[in-house]
Amino acid sequence: MTTRTTFEDRLLVELQGEIERRESVPVPATRRALLTGRRLALAAGVCAAAGLAVVLSPGTPAQSPAYAVERHDDGTVTLTVKDQDIGVEEQRELARKLSRNGIEMDVQILRPGYVCKGDPVLWGANEQGERVPLFVLQWSRKITLHRGNVLVFLNLNDRTEPYRVYVYPTEADVEPCVPVKPTPNRSQRA
């Protein structure tokens, strides 16, 4: 008896060989899509909830992170400085708030390289080894202000926060800032 191979037999042998070849080659893992509709919807919901929490948090829009203003029954105001990096725009906003209590505020901006005459200047060196003035804020963390007081912020043009803050009893007592270029004193010139 002779066995003839039919088309089906040859096809079966080919398919079995193909299966054996595929089983010997490792198959890379399938990747899941990173951004799916469900994940995008979840992320959008979390962002919306976080935004709503920020908007609804009590006191956040009205309070500056740099300072707090507390009004008292006797007409005084306590200014508490939380962060000494009070920018010029925040200083102007503070001036608007204090003016409601009869407290004047003067925001002064000096040209680059100038300080007020009579200001003590600390000297340091920059990256090139050149002698440059260093400024230190001269104020307390809490300032009690009365009606008629004047609060003066001195700012350098090339900085984003004040380098000096003064409180005067009345506007007549305010000492004008006379801009001068600082020069090192003899003991600091070495």
Side-chain angles (χ1 to χ4, degrees), residues 66-72 77-84 86 94 138-146 149 151 153 165-167:
Y67 64 86
V69 175
E70 182 182 354
R71 292 175 175 81
H72 304 287
V77 174
T78 301
L79 171 65
T80 304
V81 178
K82 299 175 187 176
D83 180 1
Q84 292 182 341
I86 301 175
L94 176 61
Q138 303 293 319
W139 58 6
S140 62
R141 300 295 275 173
K142 277 192 174 192
I143 302 170
T144 300
L145 302 164
H146 302 271
N149 283 162
L151 182 64
F153 278 70
V165 176
Y166 294 108
V167 177

Side-chain angles (χ1 to χ4, degrees), residues 84-96:
Q84 292 182 341
D85 294 336
I86 301 175
V88 172
E89 288 307 313
E90 284 183 299
Q91 293 170 32
R92 291 185 175 136
E93 177 61 31
L94 176 61
R96 287 188 282 278

Side-chain angles (χ1 to χ4, degrees), residues 80-115:
T80 304
V81 178
K82 299 175 187 176
D83 180 1
Q84 292 182 341
D85 294 336
I86 301 175
V88 172
E89 288 307 313
E90 284 183 299
Q91 293 170 32
R92 291 185 175 136
E93 177 61 31
L94 176 61
R96 287 188 282 278
K97 289 178 182 179
L98 294 177
S99 68
R100 296 180 205 139
N101 289 74
I103 300 165
E104 297 295 321
M105 187 166 151
D106 186 13
V107 177
Q108 298 179 13
I109 302 173
L110 298 172
R111 295 185 312 219
Y114 285 82
V115 295

